[in-house]
């Protein structure tokens, strides 16, 4: 809602529920990792079945959401994308940086099913989301392949980024701490190299919060080795 005096208000309609309690390790883009499951739970005002009539006909949907951890932080006209090593500046509107005037994000995700929960109302089960657990969602729209898909379009500086996957060594003593139904998704996150693009210290131990666990690992010569799993505690 815009009041004509430079003020606008967005209504929170839902929040996402997934296994990323912190932003470290979240996929760089939506649909980049296909095993990541999530649920969209709506606010009580929007738990109206009629509002979702026909949504199951679509394979993908757009999410309009907010970089909630960037709210209140000053926006910058230029940013340093981590994927470029953190030392090259680009205009904020030429990137998907969270430090924007309105901190809004846009993601296309696969819609797997619509559940009509007895208490939560319509719940959307999705995969491929690049959002942190609890991220506020302001709107949802269907993805239309005939106008939204442009496979031959230029991707700017991202066309020059080398895509790589790490080999993951996950010792059995630590792997058994992870629920079986979450192992494949977690390994996909680790293969994608959760580290910022400018960090290459082979001696550094990283911690990745995933679900109810904290995963400790290091990376050397293209191999990510898990060296510890403990219960996650948010400080």
């Amino acid at each position: 809602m815009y009041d004509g005096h430079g003020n606008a208000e967005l209504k929170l309609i839902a929040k996402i529920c997934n296994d990323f309690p912190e932003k470290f390790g979240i996929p760089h883009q939506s649909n980049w990792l296909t095993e990541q499951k999530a649920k969209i739970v709506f606010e009580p005002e929007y738990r109206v079945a009629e509002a979702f009539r026909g949504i199951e006909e679509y394979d993908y949907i757009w999410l309009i959401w907010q970089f909630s951890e960037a709210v209140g932080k000053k926006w910058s006209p230029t940013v340093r994308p981590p994927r470029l090593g953190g030392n090259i500046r680009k205009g904020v509107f030429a990137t998907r940086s969270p430090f924007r005037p309105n901190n809004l994000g846009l993601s296309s995700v696969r819609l797997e099913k619509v559940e009509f929960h007895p208490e939560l109302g319509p719940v959307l089960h999705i995969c491929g989301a690049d959002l942190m657990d609890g991220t506020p969602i302001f709107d949802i729209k269907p993805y239309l392949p005939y106008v939204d898909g442009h496979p031959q379009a230029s991707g700017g500086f991202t066309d020059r980024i080398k895509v790589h996957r790490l080999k993951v060594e996950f010792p059995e003593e630590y792997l058994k701490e992870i629920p079986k139904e979450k192992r494949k998704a977690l390994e996909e996150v680790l293969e994608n190299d959760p580290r910022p693009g400018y960090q290459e210290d082979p001696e550094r131990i990283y911690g990745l919060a995933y679900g109810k666990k904290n995963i400790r690992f290091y990376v050397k010569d293209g191999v990510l080795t898990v060296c510890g799993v403990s219960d996650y505690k948010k400080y």
Side-chain angles (χ1 to χ4, degrees):
M1 181 181 296
Y2 178 65
D3 63 6
H5 300 286
N7 300 310
E9 177 186 357
L10 293 175
K11 291 184 177 295
L12 171 70
I13 67 167
K15 290 184 178 180
I16 196 164
C17 300
N18 64 15
D19 287 314
F20 289 106
E22 298 179 359
K23 64 181 181 180
F24 181 76
I26 293 177
H28 303 302
Q29 303 293 343
S30 59
N31 292 305
W32 186 246
L33 304 184
T34 59
E35 297 294 331
Q36 300 309 309
K37 310 296 183 181
K39 294 187 293 185
I40 297 176
V41 178
F42 290 82
E43 295 296 294
E45 180 181 355
Y46 304 103
R47 296 173 185 175
V48 182
E50 289 81 359
F52 300 85
R53 185 181 301 162
I55 196 171
E56 74 283 351
E57 299 172 11
Y58 299 95
D59 286 334
Y60 289 85
I61 55 176
W62 287 108
L63 306 181
I64 300 173
W65 49 279
Q66 184 178 58
F67 291 97
S68 52
E69 292 206 337
V71 173
K73 298 181 180 179
K74 186 178 180 180
W75 80 282
S76 173
T78 62
V79 296
R80 294 183 293 182
R83 301 289 282 175
L84 288 178
N87 53 15
I88 298 176
R89 286 194 172 274
K90 295 287 184 178
V92 66
F93 298 125
T95 74
R96 297 190 176 187
S97 167
F99 302 107
R100 333 178 61 78
N102 289 303
N103 310 115
L104 293 180
L106 178 68
S107 299
S108 66
V109 298
R110 184 171 181 83
L111 177 61
E112 293 198 317
K113 70 174 182 178
V114 182
E115 173 192 6
F116 291 91
H117 192 278
E119 296 180 3
L120 301 177
V123 174
L124 304 185
H125 291 254
I126 63 174
C127 66
D130 54 340
L131 286 70
M132 189 172 72
D133 182 57
T135 293
I137 296 174
F138 294 125
D139 205 358
I140 293 174
K141 296 174 181 285
Y143 175 95
L144 305 178
Y146 77 100
V147 288
D148 291 343
H150 306 284
Q152 305 304 319
S154 170
F157 70 84
T158 64
D159 286 340
R160 301 187 294 275
I161 295 175
K162 183 179 179 180
V163 176
H164 72 284
R165 288 286 191 270
L166 298 174
K167 179 181 178 181
V168 175
E169 296 287 348
F170 209 134
E172 183 62 30
E173 62 181 301
Y174 300 129
L175 186 61
K176 67 181 182 181
E177 298 293 324
I178 309 300
K180 290 183 178 180
E181 69 275 10
K182 295 184 181 293
R183 292 177 185 176
K184 188 174 182 180
L186 173 57
E187 289 181 355
E188 185 183 41
V189 172
L190 297 174
E191 289 174 357
N192 191 48
D193 195 351
R195 302 172 302 166
Y198 50 84
Q199 292 185 359
E200 290 289 347
D201 184 358
E203 304 299 323
R204 180 166 182 170
I205 304 296
Y206 299 86
L208 168 69
Y210 192 81
K212 297 181 179 180
K213 297 294 183 178
N214 186 58
I215 316 299
R216 301 180 75 230
F217 66 90
Y218 62 88
V219 180
K220 185 176 182 179
D221 298 329
V223 179
L224 183 152
T225 302
V226 175
C227 57
V229 174
S230 59
D231 291 338
Y232 171 73
K233 296 180 180 180
K234 189 170 185 177
Y235 297 100

